[in-house]
Amino acid sequence: YLIGSVARGNPSLGDVMDIDLVLIHRHDPAYGREVVRLSHQVHLDIQHHSRMLYDRPSRLRVDPWMGPALCEPIFLYDPEHFFEWAQAGARGQFFRPDHVHARAQAFLACSRQASSLLPLSDRWLRTFLRALLDAANAVASLDGFPVAGRRISLHLAEIATRLECPWLLAQFHQLLGAEHLHRFDLPQHLNAWARACDAAIASGRDPTLLPCRRDYYLRAFQALADAGRGAAILWNLLWTWEEFIHLLGHEPGAQPHRDAWRQALKELGLGPEQRGARAQSLKGIIQKHTAFIETWGERHGA
């Protein structure tokens, strides 16, 4: 079955797209994810699931990611009607307030857990970004579906309007350093990001990191920047760039990439000296989101 932007009918950004495809196996698959290039502008991003994952569909409806994925997918091939049965169970009463509230609470729990690990994490920024996105999705899921992919900020803006919480996107961008974009040399840093991406691809340490993924992100970054939406780039830029630096490690030749990465973080106010302040701000956002979700639950009888 298909999920993501193709299933929603809005796949292309920067004239490049991926197709999010899920394959269900009778037994445990050999690997969980693969990327397959179809053309210069299109590739498959494939998730491999075991059939056992779908054995209790009523539980999946309150899973913060699987529930939404099963709500409105595009069926491709289901000769035994197994997926149709699983989807019906997961989609039944999907929008019931207590189920919506449960998915929001699940995101909050993930955010709190990641936030608590910040002082111990060797990859502090990645843990921070995960916690921040989970906190945002705790509120976003009240609108039905979490945000992901290259349009995170664009979807958050729409959800913030519908839920009448304009602070949702503003605080998300603030913690990413958007207030420092005036001193952030975006063209220079996109070039540095691309060089780090090329080096990470050449290292061969991640079989899902193919050249098509470089264009998938870079063209979207450029399209958003050209539209004056620089802040909408930040989460994905930082998330992917951090991964490249991690893959490169301390191998010979990696130092220039690490230096460029540190400079970008410094300009955004995300350097080591700001760790404590950012972690404290994140805790404040989690508390605010918790209160908003509880108020929503009381109002809707969840």
Side-chain angles (χ1 to χ4, degrees):
Y1 62 98
L2 294 178
I3 57 175
S5 57
V6 170
R8 291 190 297 268
N10 190 25
S12 182
L13 180 60
D15 294 324
V16 178
M17 60 179 281
D18 71 347
I19 300 172
D20 295 298
L21 172 66
V22 180
L23 299 180
I24 303 174
H25 299 250
R26 292 184 182 277
H27 307 289
D28 288 340
Y31 39 86
R33 180 174 175 244
E34 65 176 317
V35 173
V36 178
R37 179 184 182 275
L38 299 181
S39 72
H40 185 66
Q41 294 175 301
V42 183
H43 63 274
L44 294 172
D45 191 345
I46 307 172
Q47 297 180 46
H48 296 271
H49 290 174
S50 167
R51 181 167 175 158
M52 290 181 61
L53 180 63
Y54 299 82
D55 282 348
R56 302 184 71 177
S58 61
R59 284 192 174 186
L60 293 181
R61 73 164 68 106
V62 295
D63 183 286
W65 287 111
M66 286 294 294
L70 290 175
C71 189
E72 296 179 355
I74 294 178
F75 286 60
L76 293 181
Y77 183 67
D78 185 26
E80 298 177 6
H81 304 286
F82 159 77
F83 182 71
E84 185 178 358
W85 164 81
Q87 192 220 18
R91 190 167 58 178
Q93 302 176 335
F94 177 83
F95 292 104
R96 205 171 78 182
D98 57 332
H99 294 153
V100 175
H101 191 259
R103 292 193 295 272
Q105 289 290 347
F107 273 122
L108 279 177
C110 291
S111 185
R112 291 192 194 103
Q113 181 180 24
S115 178
S116 70
L117 296 174
L118 285 176
L120 308 173
S121 178
D122 291 334
R123 299 174 69 180
W124 180 89
L125 186 69
R126 194 167 194 82
T127 304
F128 172 79
L129 292 171
R130 179 80 265 173
L132 178 59
L133 182 61
D134 284 337
N137 271 327
V139 174
S141 61
L142 298 178
D143 190 59
F145 302 94
V147 298
R150 300 175 297 171
R151 294 179 172 86
I152 285 174
S153 289
L154 304 185
H155 290 319
L156 274 181
E158 297 169 356
I159 290 169
T161 299
R162 289 194 291 268
L163 293 179
E164 299 181 350
C165 52
W167 42 264
L168 177 63
L169 182 63
Q171 291 185 342
F172 183 76
H173 283 166
Q174 182 181 8
L175 260 69
L176 294 172
E179 71 270 28
H180 301 302
L181 275 175
H182 64 279
R183 70 184 188 193
F184 191 71
D185 190 334
L186 189 54
Q188 174 185 320
H189 292 308
L190 287 181
N191 285 334
W193 178 95
R195 291 193 296 272
C197 181
D198 290 339
I201 292 170
S203 75
R205 294 194 175 104
D206 181 355
T208 68
L209 183 57
L210 303 180
C212 58
R213 297 296 285 177
R214 177 190 190 273
D215 287 344
Y216 173 73
Y217 282 108
L218 186 57
R219 291 198 182 185
F221 295 158
Q222 292 168 336
L224 290 169
D226 291 344
R229 305 293 295 268
I233 294 171
L234 289 176
W235 194 92
N236 279 295
L237 178 74
L238 293 169
W239 179 264
T240 53
W241 203 348
E242 190 277 344
E243 177 66 11
F244 304 154
I245 298 302
H246 175 71
L247 290 172
L248 292 173
H250 294 280
E251 67 177 28
Q255 191 59 46
H257 300 298
R258 301 184 74 85
D259 290 343
W261 166 241
R262 291 192 187 101
Q263 179 61 31
L265 294 182
K266 181 180 178 181
E267 292 180 18
L268 290 172
L270 294 171
E273 63 277 9
Q274 284 92 25
R275 280 187 178 192
R278 293 292 178 179
Q280 197 62 34
S281 296
L282 175 61
K283 288 181 180 179
I285 282 181
I286 293 173
Q287 291 172 356
K288 183 170 184 175
H289 290 194
T290 299
F292 183 84
I293 290 165
E294 288 310 307
T295 300
W296 184 96
E298 293 170 2
R299 189 185 310 124
H300 291 82

